Amino acid sequence: MRIRIVDAFTDRPFSGNPAGVLLLTGADTFPDGSWLQNVALEVNHAETAFAHPLPEGAEADWALRWFTPATEVAMCGHATLATAHVLHTTGIHEGPVRFATRSGVLVATPAADGSVTLDFPTAPLTRVDPPGGLAEALGTEPLTVLDTGPNVGDLLVEVADEKTVHALAPDLKALAAHSERGVIATARAEDPARGYDFVSRCFFPNVGIDEDPVTGSAHTALAPFWSERLGRPRLTGLQASARSGRVRTELRGDRTLLTGRAVTVIEGELLA
């Protein structure tokens, strides 16, 4: 089986968010979950995507699952983008591809310029009181705290400004107590002339990821939050991790479009 490492939400190698992609082209079902988990642990990136083709007439073209090194997750944007990129660039699938996932059918549409647009469910945001100890765990006082619903499973935390987001050095062990997956910290862009409207960082200690480089699923919550604040359905977010990456978002009611590029960096043979 061919296995690939793809950097997603970037047009340059060694930036964006790396994902493992394993296409089970000859299978009609997934292998045992423990094997999938072991492969994801061996790859040791934020997520590894596994996909197999579905028969003609099914609700989707491919079945898709995502695993961190520690657990299976309900939704992953960057590994979905990476999988669509591999399907498109190898010629295995042409045009829009429908993925059957734990979060429903997700569609990825390639464009002539090499970008891919993901059609994901918009996260339902519910304002909540800041949990006790959150400010101490994050290292700054939250301005607004929202629950992002079951698919995303994070707390979305607005902080004072972009400089605060860049400077965060949270207590990850303490942060793990406050949500199912982790915390999305965000602020308005200091200077939109730089090409982005808001900035974020994502900390997911509960799924074995201290800081995720670029998180598509988080932008299904960031898009409705900032679109309401800024009064525009189309925005660009900068995820200010060490690797960094940008996600273009478009809010369409209960769906959010996420657009980015991807680069295949490593391709090899899985022997196990």
Side-chain angles (χ1 to χ4, degrees):
M1 290 175 286
R2 304 300 291 172
I3 189 165
R4 297 166 174 88
I5 305 299
V6 178
D7 290 345
F9 291 116
T10 183
D11 58 2
R12 296 178 293 108
F14 315 123
S15 59
N17 201 352
V21 178
L22 185 62
L23 300 180
L24 306 164
T25 53
D28 56 8
T29 188
F30 286 108
D32 183 77
S34 62
W35 184 84
L36 299 175
Q37 187 64 73
N38 282 334
V39 173
L41 178 59
E42 189 77 8
V43 172
N44 202 33
H45 284 311
E47 266 88 10
T48 297
F50 301 89
H52 71 76
L54 292 172
E56 191 172 342
E59 65 171 352
D61 305 301
W62 289 74
L64 178 63
R65 293 169 71 179
W66 313 278
F67 286 76
T68 76
T71 190
E72 185 172 8
V73 295
M75 182 190 292
C76 179
H78 86 278
T80 304
L81 174 59
T83 305
H85 167 80
V86 171
L87 287 170
H88 179 61
T89 56
T90 59
I92 294 173
H93 187 98
E94 295 183 358
V97 55
R98 301 168 298 162
F99 294 111
T101 78
R102 288 173 59 180
S103 297
V105 175
L106 308 176
V107 180
T109 303
D113 66 359
S115 65
V116 175
T117 296
L118 309 176
D119 183 339
F120 271 37
T122 300
L125 302 181
T126 305
R127 188 159 182 164
V128 297
D129 293 330
L134 176 62
E136 292 77 11
L138 192 58
T140 190
E141 197 67 36
L143 301 181
T144 309
V145 181
L146 301 102
D147 180 87
T148 60
N151 285 340
V152 177
D154 298 331
L155 285 182
L156 176 60
V157 180
E158 181 189 11
V159 300
D161 52 30
E162 181 175 341
K163 290 178 182 177
T164 301
V165 173
H166 284 281
L168 289 174
D171 179 337
L172 294 167
K173 185 176 180 180
L175 206 64
H178 293 295
S179 67
E180 180 182 345
R181 183 174 70 165
V183 169
I184 307 163
T186 188
R188 186 179 301 204
E190 185 177 280
D191 180 8
R194 294 175 180 167
Y196 56 91
D197 302 289
F198 60 88
V199 64
S200 67
R201 289 175 67 191
C202 295
F203 307 99
F204 303 143
N206 285 335
V207 293
I209 304 167
D210 289 348
E211 181 171 2
D212 198 35
V214 192
T215 315
S217 60
H219 284 76
T220 67
L222 290 161
F225 180 77
W226 286 113
S227 287
E228 181 180 357
R229 290 289 188 91
L230 301 177
R232 290 183 283 121
R234 295 184 182 88
L235 300 171
T236 298
L238 171 71
Q239 195 153 328
S241 66
R243 292 175 63 100
S244 188
R246 299 191 184 199
V247 183
R248 300 200 308 270
T249 67
E250 181 177 347
L251 187 63
R252 292 188 177 181
D254 64 353
R255 308 297 296 183
T256 295
L257 304 185
L258 310 171
T259 300
R261 295 174 178 268
V263 181
T264 300
V265 178
I266 296 173
E267 183 174 350
E269 197 78 19
L270 181 64
L271 302 177

